[in-house]
Amino acid sequence: MAELYNPTTNTWSDASTSATGAALPLLSTPDTGYELGPALLLSNGEALFTGSHGQTVFYNEDTNSWTIGPNMPVVKINGVQTQLTTGDAPGAVLPNGNIILGLSPAVEAGGSEDDENFPPPTYIYEFNPKTDVWTDITPTSSAFYFEYNSFIDDMLVLPTGQIFLTDFGTDPLVL
């Protein structure tokens, strides 16, 4: 259940349904350590919210309404179909309106950030919110820590429109 606070009336209202009345997906739960991904403001004024279950939602401030977004990609890891998520992962909005996200398998509750509760690998995806198309742009450079969970990554949009990506290593990448 989600609620929306109105400071003018000092009241709360139900915000757990979409504009069409459909129940919004839970973006995080105790099972995934309450981890969320980035919330990113899009060029059309909507905000994209991501989480640790592989689902997304859009919020439109003008209409005060939510829309269910597309699911994040599913990939095959060691022969197993695996839902990618943004549990504590980074994201950035490109000048063209597309979004870059660090994605990994779902985070598991409990433990520390250094154990199997933050499973690898990391993928970097570009998402086009106009077409709902996800494109894998994971770096192939040996400087990229593919074997870790995406929570270790940070992103910065450079004035050139490129993404400065660092993953706690000594060799940042420019995408």
Side-chain angles (χ1 to χ4, degrees):
M1 168 110 180
E3 292 194 347
L4 182 66
Y5 177 69
N6 182 332
T8 305
T9 61
N10 194 31
T11 59
W12 292 88
S13 60
D14 184 11
S16 59
T17 57
S18 71
T20 62
L24 293 174
L26 289 174
L27 297 181
S28 186
T29 59
D31 294 345
T32 57
Y34 293 111
E35 298 289 346
L36 286 172
L40 302 162
L41 183 61
L42 306 177
S43 59
N44 67 0
E46 290 186 325
L48 172 69
F49 289 81
T50 66
S52 57
H53 289 286
Q55 298 165 314
T56 65
V57 294
F58 293 100
Y59 177 71
N60 184 317
E61 183 180 26
D62 292 338
T63 61
N64 191 28
S65 63
W66 295 88
T67 306
I68 298 171
N71 288 342
M72 294 175 216
V74 173
V75 297
K76 197 172 270 192
I77 300 174
N78 299 322
V80 177
Q81 292 292 102
T82 304
Q83 175 67 63
L84 295 179
T85 74
T86 57
D88 205 18
V93 180
L94 296 171
N96 67 2
N98 286 356
I99 294 177
I100 303 291
L101 291 169
L103 303 175
S104 286
V107 173
E108 299 169 8
S112 71
E113 294 175 348
D114 295 327
D115 63 19
E116 67 278 355
N117 294 321
F118 280 73
T122 290
Y123 295 88
I124 305 296
Y125 269 81
E126 182 170 350
F127 172 64
N128 182 327
K130 292 179 183 169
T131 63
D132 289 345
V133 172
W134 296 87
T135 304
D136 185 349
I137 61 166
T138 305
T140 57
S141 166
S142 62
F144 181 66
Y145 288 154
F146 179 77
E147 67 272 8
Y148 293 97
N149 186 280
S150 59
F151 85 90
I152 70 167
D153 295 318
D154 291 304
M155 296 179 184
L156 174 70
V157 180
L158 299 173
T160 61
Q162 296 170 294
I163 299 294
F164 181 85
L165 174 66
T166 181
D167 53 16
F168 292 170
T170 57
D171 298 318
L173 299 171
V174 176
L175 305 176

